[in-house]
């Protein structure tokens, strides 16, 4: 029984760490000179200068951003 409880605790801590990392991480998709994540899209210009724009304002993207922030808040509580 104690081993099962320890496994559940380890699983929850792992999920919490992955949730924080996926919300905070600066690059989800890297394609050549372009990087994209939940918050902004960046392209590298000449001389390795990055030009970053905020992500599009699609309804699905805003709902994902809101749900990730709410899940972090509720996980902390």
């Amino acid at each position: 029984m104690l081993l099962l409880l320890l496994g559940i605790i380890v699983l929850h801590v792992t999920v919490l760490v992955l949730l924080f990392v996926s919300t905070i991480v600066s690059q989800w998709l890297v394609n050549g000179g372009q990087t994209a994540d939940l918050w902004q899209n960046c392209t590298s210009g000449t001389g390795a200068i990055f030009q970053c724009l905020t992500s599009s304002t699609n309804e699905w993207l805003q709902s994902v951003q809101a749900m990730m922030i709410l899940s972090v808040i509720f996980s902390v509580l």
Side-chain angles (χ1 to χ4, degrees):
M1 192 64 154
L2 185 61
L3 187 61
L4 181 64
L5 182 62
L6 181 65
I8 291 172
I9 290 172
V10 168
L11 180 67
H12 279 89
V13 168
T14 304
V15 168
L16 186 62
V17 167
L18 289 175
L19 179 64
F20 277 116
V21 168
S22 66
T23 304
I24 296 170
V25 73
S26 63
Q27 296 176 359
W28 280 7
L29 177 65
V30 178
N31 184 12
Q34 294 182 334
T35 60
D37 66 354
L38 189 61
W39 310 109
Q40 60 186 358
N41 296 326
C42 297
T43 57
S44 63
T46 58
I49 297 173
F50 280 96
Q51 297 174 347
C52 296
L53 301 171
T54 56
S55 295
S56 62
T57 57
N58 294 334
E59 290 82 16
W60 68 269
L61 183 62
Q62 289 178 349
S63 65
V64 168
Q65 289 173 342
M67 288 299 154
M68 290 199 62
I69 291 171
L70 285 174
S71 63
V72 168
I73 291 171
F74 287 135
S75 294
V76 169
L77 293 177

